[in-house]
Amino acid sequence: MGTAAVSGFLLGLSLIVAIGAQNAYILRQGLLRQHVFILCLICALSDAILIIAGVAGLGTIIAQSPALITVVTIGGAAFLLWYGFSAFRRAMHPDGMRAANGGAVSLKAAISTCLALTFLNPHVYLDTVVLVGSLSARFEGEARMAYAAGAVIASFVWFFSLGYGARLLQPFFAKPSAWRILDCIIGVVMWAIAFSLLSRLLWA
């Protein structure tokens, strides 16, 4: 069981420790210190639900539903393009920069954005449900449960570390130019993911 848990933890960590839509958003909110706990909890719990579903066998169903994957891919790409545009607009517009530093985003808006970045991104399903779920077939019984638990713990450790660890970078982000750079990076990441998703549809 210990080996299975460690395997699940390392796999889960390797899949989420990357520059992605969720991570970019959590990093930004962590720097702003806005709704950090609830957003980290939403991301971690969402991963937990998807991981458990994948281990339970949902990954096989999703892998055999190309129409569902296509719908989620188009919707996710459209949202990521819009969010990336918003990030570029914040970076290029001085008033937007002041609002980013001082203006508070409502909890409802923050949660809505977080959920959209999570569930409208096909990569989330492919990583947590399909990949983690399919690799769980190596284990049986309690070992399989330990594997899932390890992957879930990895999500909680990562998102809360990212959200609350972001404040260590605040001295650097005291400069408006640093926020401009961050929003440009976020915009590039969002658009890169969106174009990657659309290219997969075109070349599938």
Side-chain angles (χ1 to χ4, degrees), residues 13 49 107 202:
L13 204 59
I49 292 171
L107 178 60
L202 294 174

Side-chain angles (χ1 to χ4, degrees), residues 93-147:
H93 200 287
D95 291 337
M97 292 296 298
R98 283 194 289 271
N101 281 293
V105 178
S106 70
L107 178 60
K108 182 178 179 180
I111 291 176
S112 297
T113 300
C114 186
L115 289 174
L117 289 173
T118 299
F119 292 104
L120 288 180
N121 184 358
H123 286 305
V124 172
Y125 300 97
L126 295 176
D127 288 346
T128 58
V129 180
V130 178
L131 183 56
V132 176
S134 62
L135 292 178
S136 69
R138 297 176 298 168
F139 306 100
E140 295 182 359
E142 293 184 354
R144 194 169 186 176
M145 294 175 60
Y147 168 85

Side-chain angles (χ1 to χ4, degrees), residues 36-127:
V36 178
F37 178 81
I38 187 64
L39 295 178
C40 290
L41 184 63
I42 288 172
C43 287
L45 286 177
S46 297
D47 270 10
I49 292 171
L50 294 173
I51 288 169
I52 293 171
V55 172
L58 183 61
T60 303
I61 298 175
I62 291 180
Q64 296 175 349
S65 304
L68 176 61
I69 294 177
T70 298
V71 171
V72 174
T73 298
I74 294 174
F79 180 80
L80 291 171
L81 287 171
W82 172 82
Y83 194 85
F85 171 76
S86 298
F88 284 126
R89 185 174 57 185
R90 284 196 306 266
M92 300 304 294
H93 200 287
D95 291 337
M97 292 296 298
R98 283 194 289 271
N101 281 293
V105 178
S106 70
L107 178 60
K108 182 178 179 180
I111 291 176
S112 297
T113 300
C114 186
L115 289 174
L117 289 173
T118 299
F119 292 104
L120 288 180
N121 184 358
H123 286 305
V124 172
Y125 300 97
L126 295 176
D127 288 346

